Amino acid sequence: MKLVAGNSNRPLAEAIANYLETPLARCVVRRFADKEIFVEVQENVRGEDVFIVQSTSAPANDHLMELLILCDALKRASARRITAVIPYFGYARQDRKPGPRTPISAKLVANMIVRAGADRVLTLDLHAGQIQGFFDIPTDNLFAAPAMVSDIKDVMANDNIMVVSPDVGGVVRARGLAKRIDAPLAIVDKRRERPGESEVMNVIGDVSGHSCILVDDIVDSGGTLVNAAEALLKQGAKQVTGYITHGVLSGGAIARVMASQLTELVITDSIQPSDAVLNAHNIRVLSIAPLLGEAIARTAEEKSVSSLFY
Ligand code: R5P
């Protein structure tokens, strides 16, 4: 087995390599003067089972292009099988046409990854599970839930927990976590009564006196999370914590989270956390490296990956 890392999240790739006790393959991914990407794999990969660790996080297009070029280089170097390990799959939110004459970019990106030479995909908490079907190659969608559950048990063991979905679209994900920790479930339903009027947050479920855990796949601007937290506190929640897999945290998101009433936001390192994230007083990062490492090991040994989650 060989592990190859792009530039999107080197610390995560190194942590996975440590878990697997396998060094990262010697490989340079650099830019020409005009910013074209150049890749050189500096060791033999002929006949190898190769795993490329690369999130297509910001700058999404550069990181995607690195992944595609890495696949091409490995294919041409006669790797036996190439698995694209994509802890954060960017473009996932563009998974359907929101209006006429709009693209389905998630499908386009999946096509490009397959066309570049990937034989398998390993990814984590896809925005929508059915994106797996956009790849016409085996695709495993892993869940950060086991890591979150063990953290929740450590940190909030004696709290009167209620799991909350911050929008109607996230109910299945939130229900999954609630089941694992045997907690009740509530839903924040955002509604705009009339065009031009601001959104009303209706909380479905009695959250008063509960320590609420907001669960989501992505925190980007932080708006969904912070607004949902406010609505829960208004309804009498004792405190609100966010457990969100992918810390996209663009624009003023970190400042928004820091200024919010959230007790804590817990994210994973599927996207490399910036210094600002690491220094934020109420943001904590859980490492997903052991889970990804174990899934890679099982894939290499042709063992079950789904059994990791039962
Ligand atoms: C949306 O469907 C996603 O699950 C997240 O709720 C959304 O991407 C969060 O975005 P933001 O942090 O910008 O509100």
Side-chain angles (χ1 to χ4, degrees), residues 249 254-255 257-259 264-265 267 272-285:
L249 295 168
I254 299 168
V257 170
M258 285 172 67
E264 197 176 37
L265 164 62
I267 55 174
Q272 186 176 338
S274 62
D275 287 346
V277 168
L278 296 174
N279 292 328
H281 72 276
N282 60 350
I283 304 182
R284 186 158 56 85
V285 182

Side-chain angles (χ1 to χ4, degrees), residues 16 24 30 32 40 47 51 72-73 93 99 106 114 137 189 195 205 223 258 262 273 282 293 299-300 309-310:
I16 292 172
L24 291 174
R30 59 183 173 83
F32 287 146
E40 189 178 6
F51 294 82
D72 189 73
R93 285 172 287 181
V114 175
I137 52 176
D189 173 36
M258 285 172 67
L262 280 164
N282 60 350
T299 303
F309 302 99
Y310 298 111

Side-chain angles (χ1 to χ4, degrees), residues 154-236:
D154 285 347
V155 178
M156 301 176 72
N158 300 318
D159 293 3
N160 183 16
I161 295 175
M162 181 169 273
V163 175
V164 185
S165 173
D167 54 33
V168 174
V171 174
V172 172
R173 183 177 299 111
R175 195 193 295 129
L177 189 83
K179 227 170 125 184
R180 282 168 187 268
I181 59 172
D182 197 19
L185 176 71
I187 302 164
V188 177
D189 173 36
K190 281 182 289 192
R191 236 177 256 177
R192 207 182 292 278
E193 297 294 341
R194 270 169 287 278
E197 282 186 7
S198 63
E199 275 179 340
V200 183
M201 316 281 285
N202 297 303
V203 178
I204 305 173
D206 182 6
V207 297
S208 61
H210 284 279
S211 291
C212 291
I213 295 180
L214 278 163
V215 188
D216 212 345
D217 58 330
I218 294 172
V219 49
D220 187 351
S221 68
T224 304
L225 174 70
V226 168
N227 293 341
E230 267 173 28
L232 295 172
L233 290 166
K234 262 192 211 146
Q235 294 296 315

Side-chain angles (χ1 to χ4, degrees), residues 226-246:
V226 168
N227 293 341
E230 267 173 28
L232 295 172
L233 290 166
K234 262 192 211 146
Q235 294 296 315
K238 200 167 112 203
Q239 56 160 346
V240 183
T241 301
Y243 274 83
I244 301 189
T245 307
H246 307 296

Side-chain angles (χ1 to χ4, degrees), residues 112-167:
M112 289 197 290
I113 292 169
V114 175
R115 195 59 209 261
D119 299 298
R120 302 187 63 96
V121 169
L122 249 179
T123 186
L124 178 73
D125 279 331
L126 277 172
H127 176 62
Q130 55 270 33
I131 294 172
Q132 285 172 94
F134 289 7
F135 294 92
D136 285 327
I137 52 176
T139 299
D140 290 302
N141 180 27
L142 311 176
F143 305 105
M148 291 179 175
V149 166
S150 104
D151 191 73
I152 291 166
K153 286 184 176 158
D154 285 347
V155 178
M156 301 176 72
N158 300 318
D159 293 3
N160 183 16
I161 295 175
M162 181 169 273
V163 175
V164 185
S165 173
D167 54 33

